[in-house]
Amino acid sequence: MYRGRFRTGLALGVVLMIGGCGDPGDGEIVDSPGLTGGWTTAGCGVPRTPEHVTAGGVQVPVTPPRLEAVMTGIDRAGRGEFADSFAGVEVDQEKVRAIVYRVPSAAFDDFIRKSAEDACVVVRDADHSTKDLTVWHDRVLADLPYWTAQGVRVVSIGARHDGSGVEIGVRDVEEARRQLPARYGARAPLIFVQADPVRPLPAPTSRVAAPPGDQVTSWDRSR
């Protein structure tokens, strides 16, 4: 639902399932948006008990339907009317809250406050919107043949959901830091991380053959 339009490593504006960040009071003002700085909606002042389901004998947290609906509405509006501000959204299921990253915007803040109603939504500043990072993402993606010819092995590309930049997984970080800024400029929002080649999953050992045309592929759902 919240997945980006292209995925080579990280998704654009992806919703993450996280176990716990700082409490709403950690430098964030309740229901007082402002142009910069973190803030939280009034619903964050109400204690909430996380919901769980049992899977395989283990209890795992789930997102309540009400919070899911709020996140869906914010994500949809963020990618549409507020595309110049929206960076991404994640869910903290243990604290029953959503965390929205956006380039400071009074109009988007007002929309978030009204949309949240009684749900807890934490709003945090982002350096770049998903819209802006998509431009850089697509530019590097289009240049992959060029970088391969230059000896730069790019393994993954994806905009970070917090708007900090486009994360590029490479075999040689130092070489990437030397070559890519020379082509895109020192101010390009590119973040380089060490990454190993993507390896396909081994062939299934079951004696039951897979249906014709089926393939086994690996997909890192944690990102």
Side-chain angles (χ1 to χ4, degrees):
M1 178 184 298
Y2 306 98
R3 210 168 288 141
R5 61 191 183 87
F6 182 83
R7 181 189 181 102
T8 53
L10 301 179
L12 298 174
V14 68
V15 165
L16 301 183
M17 307 301 177
I18 62 177
C21 297
D23 292 329
D26 294 348
E28 292 158 344
I29 302 173
V30 174
D31 203 23
S32 182
L35 292 179
T36 60
W39 64 278
T40 65
T41 62
C44 294
V46 179
R48 300 172 190 276
T49 302
E51 298 182 12
H52 297 80
V53 296
T54 302
V58 179
Q59 278 199 333
V60 295
V62 296
T63 306
R66 174 58 191 150
L67 183 59
E68 177 80 18
V70 168
M71 294 172 66
T72 297
I74 292 174
D75 181 83
R76 183 181 298 115
R79 296 177 186 279
E81 181 182 357
F82 303 104
D84 290 333
S85 175
F86 180 72
V89 57
E90 65 188 18
V91 59
D92 182 344
Q93 293 169 324
E94 288 292 352
K95 294 186 177 180
V96 197
R97 65 183 188 176
I99 303 175
V100 178
Y101 295 88
R102 91 294 184 240
V103 176
S105 164
F108 192 26
D109 280 3
D110 190 52
F111 174 85
I112 293 171
R113 190 192 310 108
K114 293 177 180 177
S115 300
E117 297 183 357
D118 62 345
C120 177
V121 179
V122 178
V123 180
R124 293 178 179 164
D125 289 348
D127 293 328
H128 308 278
S129 68
T130 295
K131 178 181 177 181
D132 290 339
L133 292 182
T134 297
V135 174
W136 289 102
H137 172 280
D138 292 352
R139 184 174 175 184
V140 175
L141 179 64
D143 285 346
L144 285 184
Y146 171 82
W147 292 121
T148 299
Q150 296 300 312
V152 178
R153 300 288 300 277
V154 176
V155 177
S156 62
I157 312 171
R160 287 187 172 178
H161 76 285
D162 62 0
S164 57
V166 175
E167 182 176 299
I168 303 177
V170 293
R171 298 293 305 279
D172 188 334
V173 172
E174 292 306 315
E175 183 65 15
R177 285 175 178 165
R178 183 180 69 82
Q179 290 207 47
L180 272 73
R183 183 175 178 87
Y184 302 123
R187 297 178 63 85
L190 306 180
I191 302 169
F192 304 104
V193 298
Q194 182 71 42
D196 294 324
V198 176
R199 298 180 182 277
L201 294 176
T205 56
S206 171
R207 295 181 181 179
V208 180
D214 278 15
Q215 296 181 341
V216 177
T217 58
S218 62
W219 183 21
D220 182 1
R221 292 179 182 272
S222 67
R223 292 289 192 83

